Amino acid sequence: MKRVIITGAAGFLGSHLAKELVAKGCDVIGIDNLSTGLRANVRELEGKPNFRFVERDVTSIEPAIEPEFAGVTEIYHLASPASPKFYQASPLETIAANTLGTRNMLEVARCLQAKFLYASTSEVYGDADVHPQPEDYCGKINTWGPRACYYEAKRLGEVYCFEYYRIHQVRMRIARIFNTYSAGLRNDDGRVISNFLTQALNGEEITVYGDGQQTRCFCYVDDTVRGLQAMMESEAAEGQIFNIGNPADYTILEIAQLIKQMTASDSAITFCPLPADDPRQRCPSIEKAKQILGWEPKIDLEEGLRRTIAAYKRALAGETRDENG
Ligand code: NAD
Ligand code: UDP
């Protein structure tokens, strides 16, 4: 049975990946400090013999004295706040998770000779002036804005990966993940799909930041998680960066209108101030992932939203039943 470590296992992507790997029969060790993740996300896994939850901070992992990691052959390093709301509330912790935390997990990979996948982000491209963004685009960013703690830490995390690859031959690969969604996002996560759906279904105002003309691409979680696994399985992915995202782009106003229409909501759409450094356009080139991994997303936005809305409605109905006893 393959032994795998997932850091950030109680988070949105980590818990989804853990469920997939446990279902495939892998022996999964999920590490998380529960800063933005929820124990409830791994509750159903905790009863399974091939899943173990370890409440730890990746910045305090010491590979030399961690016998419980013996036999691990794959490490998915996902631990980091991901929502702008959360990483801007904890900038120093975000920097530490992606720099010291990444170095610690690379040390674990070196000691165990395990394959390593680092969850980086499309944010490393910043307010890009190239569209769509290919992996060799260097980005347009600054060191002083509110997003810098996240994308600069991710960039240094990538540098650590490349140095461990060059110096210690750690078999790393880097996923630059673009906006991913499903019902698994926390309602208070602050990212756009969870905000708009929660607002639309509760009859609250839908809060579009700025004029809503900024664009994003949205990948359904199943596609992203399949992309991460394809990267881990591919030898050709070693030492490489891949964009993992859905290249169909939408303005944020279009997203608000689509969600309002698909939920048949009476909510009004309101315009709020645009946060500082909010990228205007973001869209992945996925040619490299298609060619080398044979990966591309299969679930379009409407289908992904249909599934997400159905799950939100089931959760709301459950809450109502609970309230009524
Ligand atoms: P999330 O916040 O739901 O999950 C992150 C998890 O990491 C949480 O469970 C949190 O408690 C844990 N964590 C944070 N710091 C930690 C630390 N120091 N030690 C141990 N655990 C720690 O976020 P997510 O959306 O699941 O994102 C997972 C990863 O993917 C992150 O690295 C993120 O940067 C990256 N990513 C996600 C997206 C996306 O759209 N979801 C996009 C780009 C990149
Ligand atoms: N956004 C919005 N209203 C919200 C939340 C987000 O208009 O309630 C916008 C945000 O300004 C950004 C886009 O939606 O332009 C995506 O935001 P998110 O936080 O989901 O991810 P980002 O791509 O900015 O990291």
Side-chain angles (χ1 to χ4, degrees):
M1 191 189 285
K2 196 157 69 175
R3 288 200 91 199
V4 180
I5 289 176
I6 302 173
T7 74
F12 166 53
L13 287 180
S15 61
H16 203 98
L17 177 63
K19 282 170 196 159
E20 291 264 328
L21 294 181
V22 165
K24 284 182 176 170
C26 298
D27 191 3
V28 176
I29 302 171
I31 300 175
D32 204 294
N33 69 354
L34 300 178
S35 53
T36 59
L38 301 171
R39 191 77 182 244
N41 285 343
V42 286
R43 196 75 73 199
E44 73 177 70
L45 288 176
E46 288 193 75
K48 313 239 181 217
N50 54 334
F51 180 81
R52 194 152 55 83
F53 182 71
V54 179
E55 187 174 341
R56 286 283 294 279
D57 196 302
V58 287
T59 61
S60 68
I61 298 281
E62 291 177 49
I65 55 159
E66 305 277 359
E68 60 192 323
F69 299 156
V72 165
T73 56
E74 295 181 357
I75 299 174
Y76 289 86
H77 177 40
L78 273 59
S80 166
S83 160
K85 172 179 162 183
F86 291 137
Y87 71 65
Q88 289 173 25
S90 307
L92 301 180
E93 291 79 1
T94 302
I95 293 169
N98 285 289
T99 55
L100 179 56
T102 300
R103 183 177 178 171
N104 287 347
M105 295 315 300
L106 282 162
E107 272 297 321
V108 176
R110 183 177 76 84
C111 293
L112 299 172
Q113 299 193 336
K115 295 193 281 182
F116 187 88
L117 182 144
Y118 179 47
S120 184
T121 171
S122 57
E123 292 235 354
V124 299
Y125 299 122
D127 192 14
D129 42 21
V130 169
H131 304 285
Q133 294 96 52
E135 288 83 352
D136 58 4
Y137 173 61
C138 294
K140 187 170 160 226
I141 51 173
N142 63 56
T143 52
W144 57 82
R147 290 180 175 245
C149 63
Y150 182 64
Y151 57 63
E152 291 291 9
K154 289 286 186 189
R155 289 169 74 99
L156 187 50
E158 291 193 8
V159 177
Y160 266 128
C161 292
F162 276 106
E163 293 306 343
Y164 268 77
Y165 178 66
R166 275 191 277 263
I167 299 168
H168 299 301
Q169 292 78 51
V170 169
R171 291 176 292 154
M172 70 79 187
R173 55 272 284 151
I174 296 167
R176 288 189 179 152
I177 303 169
F178 284 64
N179 302 55
T180 297
Y181 70 100
S182 83
L185 282 169
R186 286 169 57 153
N187 285 1
D188 65 347
D189 178 273
R191 281 177 272 188
V192 69
I193 299 282
S194 72
N195 269 12
F196 284 2
L197 276 175
T198 307
Q199 291 161 344
L201 291 171
N202 290 328
E204 296 161 6
E205 291 184 341
I206 299 176
T207 54
V208 170
Y209 300 160
D211 60 7
Q213 293 308 305
Q214 68 272 37
T215 67
R216 293 291 188 277
C217 300
F218 295 95
C219 197
Y220 192 68
V221 68
D222 291 7
D223 283 328
T224 299
V225 164
R226 192 169 44 79
L228 300 183
Q229 291 176 82
M231 285 183 62
M232 188 62 99
E233 280 155 23
S234 164
E235 259 183 53
E238 287 176 15
Q240 298 286 327
I241 301 172
F242 291 90
N243 288 337
I244 298 293
N246 188 322
D249 60 348
Y250 296 81
T251 68
I252 294 302
L253 185 56
E254 285 170 337
I255 297 294
Q257 288 161 339
L258 186 59
I259 286 180
K260 185 171 151 65
Q261 177 218 319
M262 288 181 72
T263 53
S265 171
D266 293 332
S267 293
I269 295 176
T270 56
F271 294 88
C272 308
L274 186 69
D277 282 347
D278 202 283
R280 282 164 301 153
Q281 240 181 317
R282 189 189 285 156
C283 180
S285 161
I286 58 165
E287 291 313 306
K288 188 172 169 182
K290 276 192 199 169
Q291 279 169 20
I292 298 180
L293 308 173
W295 173 87
E296 63 183 309
K298 290 182 178 159
I299 300 164
D300 66 20
L301 183 65
E302 293 214 9
E303 172 57 21
L305 283 178
R306 246 190 302 280
R307 295 182 190 189
T308 307
I309 291 165
Y312 266 75
K313 283 186 173 165
R314 279 196 300 275
L316 277 177
E319 279 166 24
T320 313
R321 264 198 307 278
D322 289 348
E323 279 162 19
N324 296 338

